[in-house]
Amino acid sequence: MPPTLTLKSGTAWADAWQRCLTVAPEAFRDDRVLNLWNAAWQADGRALPAVSPVDGTPVAGPPRLDRATARQAVRAALDQHRAWRHVPLPERRARVAATLDALAEHRDLLALLLVWEIGKPWRLARADVDRAVDGVRWYVDGIDTMLDGRAPLDGPVSNIASWNYPMSVLVHALLVQALAGNAVVAKTPTDGGVACLTLATALAARGGIPVTLVSGSGGELSEALVRAPEIGCVSFVGGRDTGAAVATAVADLGKRHILEQEGLNTWGVWNFSDWETLSATVPKLFDYGKQRCTAYPRFVVQRSLFDAFLAAYLPAVRTLRTGHPLAVEHPDDPYPALDFGPVINAAKAKELHDQVAEAIDRGAVPLHRGTPADARFLPGQDTSAYVQPVTLLNPPRSSPLHHAEPFGPVDTIVLVDTEAELLAAMNASNGALVATLSTDERATFDRLAPHIRAFKIGHGVPRSRGDRDELFGGFGASWRGAFVGGDLLVRAVTRGPAGERLPGNFPDHQLGPRAT
């Protein structure tokens, strides 16, 4: 019989919430978080109920503002921007550095909030905080050169991001944008992360960073956060449907923009034999249940290699460790070492279960299906947001799993016989952020890689968003606007010489660099 598990001591949501009330009482009140605008914490907005995907525990929900209040917040952010842009760079650098010190001091609390709010295992939650802090420190050290000959935008930067990386994507972007001389506005993701972002924002505001944090539905707030004339740049991370609407708005207005959208990132296998390396890589590809924009949910495999591929893949996928991210045998045990916990909510879990069932009903072949018995759960806990790993062969073309990113622990495999079929299958989503081709011969990789429509392409190794000086962008429908990473992130949120054309994917031009 498996051991009976319990919650690790001191990690309950009530413990985390009480620590938030102690660390940042200005931003947390009783059982709700506050919005931050006009340089003050505001008890406005209708707080929605929310539950943790981890086990259904009630957690703080976003206090959703109406359209009129959001417009007031944006107008106030413009006033902050006009003052902040004239603050000397050494002072901006000092304030951002102080904020990073405060974030590092409260690293474990921020990570614990990520566990409860979006279901990240402890290792990955801490890594999210560390990547934000370490990444911004790199900019603090090198910002002088990056800003040479450049100036802040005419208005604040508006940030709308998905829930999966609140710290290493959203907070990282906010602080670099502020370092470059801009006031910043952020909308909390609807699906999770509001308490973590509120705490991080409170620490930034204490450090004198001109940041606005508001909650609300995208439809209600888009007029203020995307179309408002006060906004100098829109930075968006999310799905293609919402991103397309944002892209249309910013294109109509001629507004600076950075729109990172999803794509079906693929891993091709062609004339390949290093199965030991591939087998060791497979579990890493399931980190956080593939709930990230650079996950690889599709393998495109040369048919003649399929038996060898399965011999390497299946034993690896069977080693995956899932379950409650805070469940231990004894209260003082270390945090469990998991590959992933729940998906973001029960509705997403049901969507994935339904998609898998439908694909199998229409002809997909199930190669692997994990079971709840393989997972680590507390006795009697709510497990409605959990999806065990699934692998399907040849999903039907009518299935969303054939052409779209599932954003969950579902792998699909497509078999091909020719190089033309390989490339067509790897380009199924009209552009992707990353791709990988496993092939023994470097010459084969060099010949095929230029035809793969992904911004970053690995030779037998996974690619990621990257840190510090690593560029990031996308091709096709996976990206609109300026590319980021390294000094490109600073260039994207500052003004350069007259007539400057930023590297990126714009309606009127596409300009490298290509980050293969």
Side-chain angles (χ1 to χ4, degrees):
M1 291 290 293
T4 300
L5 302 179
T6 187
L7 197 67
K8 181 173 172 60
S9 179
T11 65
W13 170 255
D15 298 324
W17 186 255
Q18 188 57 51
R19 289 167 65 185
C20 290
L21 292 171
T22 301
V23 171
E26 70 273 27
F28 297 83
R29 181 172 301 174
D30 300 326
D31 61 348
R32 64 169 291 171
V33 300
L34 307 184
N35 290 299
L36 174 62
W37 59 274
N38 197 24
W41 291 96
Q42 315 274 358
D44 50 12
R46 181 170 61 93
L48 297 184
V51 297
S52 168
V54 169
D55 60 8
T57 294
V59 297
R64 298 175 65 151
L65 295 181
D66 57 29
R67 186 175 306 179
T69 308
R71 287 287 292 120
Q72 293 181 53
V74 168
R75 285 193 289 267
L78 178 61
D79 292 336
Q80 289 181 300
H81 179 83
R82 287 170 172 166
W84 178 252
R85 62 182 298 171
H86 297 297
V87 172
L89 178 57
E91 176 65 19
R92 298 202 306 263
R93 185 194 294 111
R95 293 190 193 184
V96 172
T99 298
L100 296 176
D101 290 342
L103 293 173
E105 178 184 353
H106 298 289
R107 169 204 194 196
D108 283 358
L109 176 54
L110 291 162
L112 184 58
L113 293 171
L114 292 179
V115 173
W116 278 111
E117 294 192 286
I118 62 174
K120 284 202 170 186
W122 180 249
R123 170 180 62 88
L124 300 177
R126 293 183 93 189
D128 195 19
V129 179
D130 290 345
R131 285 184 63 188
V133 173
D134 296 342
V136 179
R137 285 199 196 280
W138 182 85
Y139 283 94
V140 169
D141 292 339
I143 193 64
D144 295 84
T145 301
M146 297 181 200
L147 285 178
D148 187 28
R150 309 194 67 80
L153 299 175
D154 293 332
V157 182
S158 176
N159 293 267
I160 304 169
S162 57
W163 44 264
N164 51 343
Y165 284 89
M167 293 296 298
S168 62
V169 173
L170 184 51
V171 171
H172 177 280
L174 296 177
L175 293 179
V176 175
Q177 293 160 7
L179 182 63
N182 303 290
V184 292
V185 180
K187 185 181 94 66
T188 59
T190 303
D191 287 329
V194 61
C196 177
L197 282 171
T198 300
L199 178 58
T201 301
L203 299 175
R206 283 184 188 177
I209 306 298
V211 57
T212 295
L213 183 68
V214 295
S215 294
S217 72
E220 185 75 7
L221 301 192
S222 63
E223 189 69 27
L225 301 184
V226 176
R227 292 184 171 273
E230 293 90 347
I231 297 298
C233 176
V234 176
S235 177
F236 170 87
V237 180
R240 289 193 178 185
D241 291 343
T242 304
V246 175
T248 299
V250 295
D252 291 345
L253 298 167
K255 196 182 293 289
R256 184 76 64 90
H257 57 284
I258 308 162
L259 309 182
E260 175 188 332
Q261 300 169 119
E262 64 189 18
L264 184 62
N265 306 314
T266 58
W267 191 300
V269 179
W270 188 263
N271 292 345
F272 178 72
S273 61
D274 188 4
W275 302 112
E276 184 177 353
T277 296
L278 179 64
S279 185
T281 302
V282 166
K284 301 173 186 177
L285 302 181
F286 277 87
D287 271 358
Y288 194 32
K290 303 208 172 195
Q291 296 179 101
R292 60 187 193 277
C293 63
T294 54
Y296 288 83
R298 166 68 50 79
F299 286 92
V300 181
V301 181
Q302 188 175 7
R303 190 183 306 272
S304 61
L305 298 179
F306 184 47
D307 56 341
F309 173 85
L310 282 186
Y313 175 89
L314 289 176
V317 79
R318 290 172 183 143
T319 68
L320 293 172
R321 300 153 299 176
T322 68
H324 192 305
L326 302 172
V328 293
E329 292 186 33
H330 308 287
D332 294 328
D333 282 351
Y335 289 89
L338 302 177
D339 296 290
F340 60 93
V343 295
I344 188 57
N345 52 44
K348 179 62 179 180
K350 182 180 184 305
E351 175 188 290
L352 289 170
H353 287 307
D354 290 347
Q355 288 179 352
V356 168
E358 181 183 44
I360 294 173
D361 185 58
R362 295 183 180 182
V365 179
L367 299 176
H368 172 76
R369 281 188 278 192
T371 67
D374 300 327
R376 296 168 49 91
F377 293 129
L378 297 176
Q381 79 161 79
D382 183 336
T383 61
S384 59
Y386 288 80
V387 177
Q388 299 308 312
V390 178
T391 306
L392 301 179
L393 174 66
N394 289 339
R397 291 184 176 273
S398 59
S399 168
L401 296 177
H402 178 80
H403 56 78
E405 182 180 14
F407 233 64
V410 179
D411 270 352
T412 57
I413 300 172
V414 173
L415 303 182
V416 294
D417 295 298
T418 67
E419 291 183 356
E421 289 178 326
L422 173 80
L423 294 172
M426 293 189 71
N427 293 329
S429 67
N430 183 27
L433 302 175
V434 297
T436 290
L437 179 60
S438 287
T439 184
D440 289 344
E441 297 293 333
R442 179 72 200 193
T444 301
F445 176 83
D446 290 341
R447 177 167 47 82
L448 296 177
H451 302 286
I452 299 172
R453 295 281 291 164
F455 188 79
K456 292 184 177 182
I457 305 172
H459 184 190
V461 295
R463 300 304 305 271
S464 68
R465 218 174 187 277
D467 292 305
R468 301 177 175 88
D469 59 349
E470 191 170 354
L471 308 181
F472 193 56
F475 288 112
S478 67
W479 195 280
R480 313 275 184 174
F483 294 152
V484 296
D487 68 329
L488 291 191
L489 175 54
V490 173
R491 290 172 64 183
V493 296
T494 54
R495 289 186 294 108
E500 177 185 42
R501 289 169 32 127
L502 294 173
N505 185 15
F506 294 93
D508 60 346
H509 76 272
Q510 292 77 44
L511 183 64
R514 182 180 178 89
T516 297

